[in-house]
């Protein structure tokens, strides 16, 4: 066969494959319109490369019963939600003005993501890694029954080794220890790192493991959650992963500014339930653990009302994005957001603009020192779009800002693992604590103001004067944002 015929055959084959993948993207997967057009552009403008990019980054998860819940488990969860929905109209809730005011938000989260409400919680806020990890290690050392730990990143450095050694000690004491880490986030990690822990009775699993340690067909769909639950009595949730950089020891980033919570109270059982589902998915074990979802009959001493809201690509509904949208739409005075990645979709941008046009004080804090050039240009592109509407954009300049929080009217706040970007809203498995408590909200509000002292404000005049090169980079970043 002549070379010309071979080339023609290859071109025809690639064209047919591209058409087939385009059909899948448009008619089978039924993606968001912006994502559909972005993938079509990749497939047709990068015929060979685009094919492999799609295989590793583009495939969606099956969404039907992803966690393979038994009928009993699904019925139990539905019954618990229905009971609480009835309670929303009871005198107990009516006596709490803040819960009554946000009854529609509470109801939406219950119906959307089975996010039950508990109102007897105590919350501690951490903004520095050293404080968070010293508290975590102390609680691990005092554990009596069980330690469940789930992190996107666990590094093989001194902090990771200290965690492993502390867990190994507890396993030797007879405490049940379970560790779940993400394969891509913890790409330098392997099970041999935990050999002594496993030999001592600890259990270690990987979320979406790679094929032969080299190929991962779920590279773009990761478990971004960061949780630790101890004895079913206390839980940690927020932005800190496990690694020396989170202690501010990385020369590239310097000071690491993050936000993490320690929660005691009935909300812990629902954080535990989140872990149980992820553990079940990773291990394929049949687990029916009703205690992980049940509301305790015993009241705790705290007074913070909390919903634990999860989201992931296993659902057609973007639960956490909807929570953010509803929060912003409810704002009457202020919306303060901290996020390392501000690459939202049009719906998020629209509610921010409406809030600004309604006279709400909207402030968004992003890093002045990003962890990737693409992030910087994308952040500036979207944040800059809000400047003409009156938004205040702050560039945090004291190291790296990794906090993921929103505070509305100094009354309601959310802290968790979710960034304001399409990856967190659509691709990653995420979890946030939504807190209905003026005291906690004011504390987070004050932290925002404190961080503002270490930030540089980006003005509309400065943004208009940016160079043509910067404008070009922003345009490319916005164009690719739906698939990254």
């Amino acid at each position: 066969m002549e070379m010309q015929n071979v080339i023609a055959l290859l071109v025809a084959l690639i064209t047919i494959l591209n058409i087939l993948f385009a059909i899948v993207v448009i008619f089978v997967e039924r993606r968001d319109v912006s994502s559909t057009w972005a993938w079509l552009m990749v497939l047709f403008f990068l015929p060979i490369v685009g094919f492999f990019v799609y295989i590793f980054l583009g495939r969606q998860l099956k969404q039907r019963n992803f966690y393979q819940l038994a009928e009993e488990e699904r019925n139990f969860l539905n019954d618990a939600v229905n009971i609480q929905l009835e309670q929303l109209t009871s005198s107990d809730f009516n006596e709490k003005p803040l819960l009554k005011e946000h009854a529609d938000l509470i109801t939406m989260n219950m119906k959307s993501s089975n996010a039950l409400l508990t109102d007897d919680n105590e919350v501690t806020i951490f903004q520095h890694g050293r404080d968070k990890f010293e508290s975590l290690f102390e609680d691990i050392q005092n554990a009596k029954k069980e330690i469940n730990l789930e992190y996107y990143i666990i590094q093989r450095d001194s902090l990771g080794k200290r965690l492993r050694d502390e867990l190994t000690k507890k396993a030797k004491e007879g405490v049940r220890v379970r560790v779940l880490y993400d394969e891509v986030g913890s790409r330098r990690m392997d099970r041999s790192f935990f050999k002594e822990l496993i030999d001592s009775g600890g259990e270690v699993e990987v979320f979406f493991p790679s094929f032969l340690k080299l190929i991962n067909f779920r590279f773009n769909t990761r478990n971004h959650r960061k949780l630790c639950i101890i004895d079913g009595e206390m839980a940690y949730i927020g932005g800190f992963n496990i690694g020396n950089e989170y202690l501010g020891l990385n020369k590239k980033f310097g000071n690491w500014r993050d936000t993490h919570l320690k929660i005691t109270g009935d909300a812990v059982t629902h954080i535990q339930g989140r872990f149980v589902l992820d553990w079940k998915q990773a291990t394929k074990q049949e687990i029916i653990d009703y205690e992980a979802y049940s509301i305790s009959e015993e009241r705790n001493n705290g007074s913070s009302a909390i919903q634990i809201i999860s989201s992931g690509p296993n659902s057609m509904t973007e639960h956490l994005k909807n929570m953010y949208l509803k929060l912003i739409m409810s704002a009457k005075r202020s919306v303060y957001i901290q996020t390392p990645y501000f690459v939202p979709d049009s719906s998020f941008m629209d509610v921010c603009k409406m809030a600004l046009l309604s006279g709400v004080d909207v402030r968004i804090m992003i890093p002045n020192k990003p962890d990737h050039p693409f992030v910087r240009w994308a952040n500036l592109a979207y944040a800059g779009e809000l400047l003409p509407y009156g938004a205040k954009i702050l560039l945090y300049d004291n190291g790296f800002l990794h906090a993921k929080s929103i505070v509305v009217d100094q009354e309601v706040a959310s802290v968790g693992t979710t960034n304001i970007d399409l990856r967190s809203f659509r691709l990653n498995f995420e979890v946030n604590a939504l807190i209905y408590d003026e005291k906690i909200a004011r504390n987070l509000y004050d932290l925002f103001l404190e961080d503002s002292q270490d930030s540089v404000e980006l003005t509309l005049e400065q943004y208009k004067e940016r160079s043509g090169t910067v404008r070009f980079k922003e345009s490319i970043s916005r164009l690719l944002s739906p698939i990254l």
Side-chain angles (χ1 to χ4, degrees):
M1 184 181 292
E2 295 182 3
M3 183 59 66
Q4 283 185 324
N5 292 335
V6 173
I7 294 175
L9 182 60
L10 286 175
V11 170
L13 181 61
I14 291 171
T15 301
I16 292 171
L17 285 174
N18 278 345
I19 292 172
L20 290 175
F21 277 113
I23 292 172
V24 170
V25 170
I26 295 173
F27 297 106
V28 179
E29 295 193 340
R30 299 180 66 85
R31 297 172 180 269
D32 174 81
V33 173
S34 61
S35 295
T36 298
W37 279 111
W39 276 114
L40 289 177
M41 181 184 71
V42 169
L43 288 171
F44 283 102
F45 283 91
L46 299 171
I48 299 176
V49 176
F51 168 79
F52 288 102
V53 170
Y54 178 83
I55 290 294
F56 286 95
L57 302 182
R59 297 188 307 150
Q60 292 184 317
L61 287 181
K62 67 172 186 177
Q63 297 174 333
R64 184 176 178 82
N65 200 13
F66 173 77
Y67 286 103
Q68 300 180 350
L69 290 175
E71 185 176 356
E72 294 172 82
E73 293 172 302
R74 291 198 299 272
N75 291 338
F76 181 85
L77 284 171
N78 291 333
D79 289 345
V81 169
N82 290 332
I83 290 171
Q84 277 222 329
L85 287 172
E86 292 179 6
Q87 292 175 341
L88 277 177
T89 58
S90 72
S91 59
D92 288 343
F93 285 103
N94 289 334
E95 291 172 0
K96 298 175 180 178
L98 191 59
L99 297 183
K100 184 177 181 180
E101 180 182 351
H102 293 282
D104 54 345
L105 173 61
I106 296 169
T107 300
M108 184 196 75
N109 293 327
M110 283 187 190
K111 290 184 175 181
S112 176
S113 60
N114 294 326
L116 297 177
L117 179 75
T118 59
D119 63 350
D120 62 344
N121 303 286
E122 185 174 345
V123 178
T124 303
I125 302 171
F126 298 101
Q127 66 185 106
H128 301 298
R130 293 187 184 278
D131 295 334
K132 181 257 180 173
F133 288 113
E134 286 307 316
S135 177
L136 176 63
F137 287 133
E138 181 178 353
D139 288 334
I140 287 175
Q141 290 164 2
N142 293 327
K144 299 294 188 292
K145 299 178 297 183
E146 185 177 74
I147 301 169
N148 294 317
L149 190 140
E150 175 178 351
Y151 276 88
Y152 175 60
I153 296 174
I154 302 179
Q155 301 283 26
R156 301 174 64 102
D157 54 22
S158 59
L159 186 64
K161 291 175 182 177
R162 182 182 175 190
L163 173 70
R164 176 199 61 191
D165 294 344
E166 294 287 357
L167 294 176
T168 301
K169 289 178 185 177
K170 300 311 293 186
K172 289 179 178 178
E173 293 174 9
V175 174
R176 185 179 188 185
V177 176
R178 293 186 286 189
V179 176
L180 178 63
Y181 65 88
D182 184 84
E183 175 80 315
V184 173
S186 305
R187 53 188 173 275
R188 297 183 180 89
M189 183 59 64
D190 57 58
R191 288 172 60 86
S192 64
F193 180 80
F194 296 101
K195 184 179 184 306
E196 187 177 359
L197 170 60
I198 296 171
D199 291 344
S200 301
E203 302 169 75
V204 178
E205 293 293 340
V206 182
F207 194 88
F208 282 175
S210 299
F211 176 68
L212 298 178
K213 198 60 181 176
L214 298 174
I215 302 173
N216 197 303
F217 294 108
R218 295 299 181 193
F219 185 84
N220 211 32
T221 307
R222 308 314 312 175
N223 189 330
H224 196 239
R225 294 168 182 148
K226 305 149 183 78
L227 305 172
C228 184
I229 308 97
I230 299 171
D231 289 340
E233 297 177 355
M234 62 197 72
Y236 289 80
I237 177 174
F240 284 107
N241 286 293
I242 307 295
N244 286 344
E245 62 264 41
Y246 303 97
L247 298 174
L249 300 178
N250 185 294
K251 293 182 180 180
K252 176 183 177 182
F253 297 114
N255 176 56
W256 190 278
R257 171 65 180 89
D258 219 322
T259 304
H260 218 90
L261 305 178
K262 174 183 175 181
I263 298 173
T264 57
D266 276 344
V268 175
T269 61
H270 305 305
I271 300 174
Q272 177 94 315
R274 178 72 273 154
F275 172 85
V276 168
L277 288 179
D278 287 344
W279 184 262
K280 177 178 180 177
Q281 199 286 327
T283 62
K284 309 305 179 187
Q285 296 175 2
E286 292 299 322
I287 303 172
I288 299 181
D289 187 356
Y290 294 128
E291 291 185 2
Y293 311 109
S294 301
I295 299 174
S296 172
E297 295 181 1
E298 297 182 6
R299 297 284 300 177
N300 291 283
N301 296 325
S303 59
S304 296
I306 295 177
Q307 285 182 294
I308 302 301
I309 303 165
S310 302
S311 192
N314 59 301
S315 173
M316 288 290 290
T317 304
E318 297 169 9
H319 305 298
L320 282 161
K321 187 191 80 172
N322 289 344
M323 180 268 286
Y324 277 108
L325 298 183
K326 187 73 170 175
L327 263 178
I328 296 171
M329 287 190 292
S330 72
K332 297 178 179 61
R333 299 184 302 277
S334 62
V335 175
Y336 284 14
I337 296 172
Q338 289 182 308
T339 179
Y341 313 121
F342 188 71
V343 192
D345 63 5
S346 59
S347 63
F348 194 97
M349 294 293 287
D350 286 342
V351 296
C352 286
K353 292 173 183 177
M354 286 189 287
L356 288 161
L357 291 171
S358 302
V360 176
D361 177 16
V362 177
R363 304 187 186 190
I364 301 170
M365 187 179 295
I366 55 180
N368 200 22
K369 179 191 292 184
D371 57 351
H372 193 283
F374 167 82
V375 173
R376 177 172 179 79
W377 311 126
N379 279 350
L380 291 175
Y382 286 96
E385 186 178 328
L386 296 177
L387 285 172
Y389 293 84
K392 190 170 185 178
I393 306 301
L394 299 166
L395 309 178
Y396 184 77
D397 207 25
N398 183 25
F400 184 65
L401 177 72
H402 194 248
K404 310 156 197 306
S405 65
I406 179 172
V407 185
V408 172
D409 292 341
Q410 302 181 51
E411 293 180 345
V412 182
S414 175
V415 173
T417 68
T418 310
N419 299 307
I420 309 297
D421 66 2
L422 303 183
R423 176 170 295 280
S424 277
F425 291 157
R426 298 175 186 169
L427 298 177
N428 285 343
F429 293 88
E430 307 280 5
V431 61
N432 276 42
L434 179 57
I435 308 165
Y436 306 87
D437 186 318
E438 292 96 331
K439 180 181 177 181
I440 299 301
R442 288 195 191 103
N443 287 341
L444 290 166
Y445 176 90
D446 289 341
L447 280 178
F448 187 101
L449 294 181
E450 181 181 317
D451 291 332
S452 298
Q453 302 301 311
D454 292 319
S455 302
V456 178
E457 183 176 357
L458 176 65
T459 67
L460 179 58
E461 291 72 23
Q462 291 171 335
Y463 188 68
K464 287 180 176 179
E465 292 175 358
R466 69 198 189 281
S467 68
T469 302
V470 171
R471 293 170 188 263
F472 175 76
K473 291 177 179 178
E474 288 181 6
S475 299
I476 295 299
S477 298
R478 287 195 66 141
L479 184 64
L480 295 177
S481 62
I483 63 173
L484 295 172

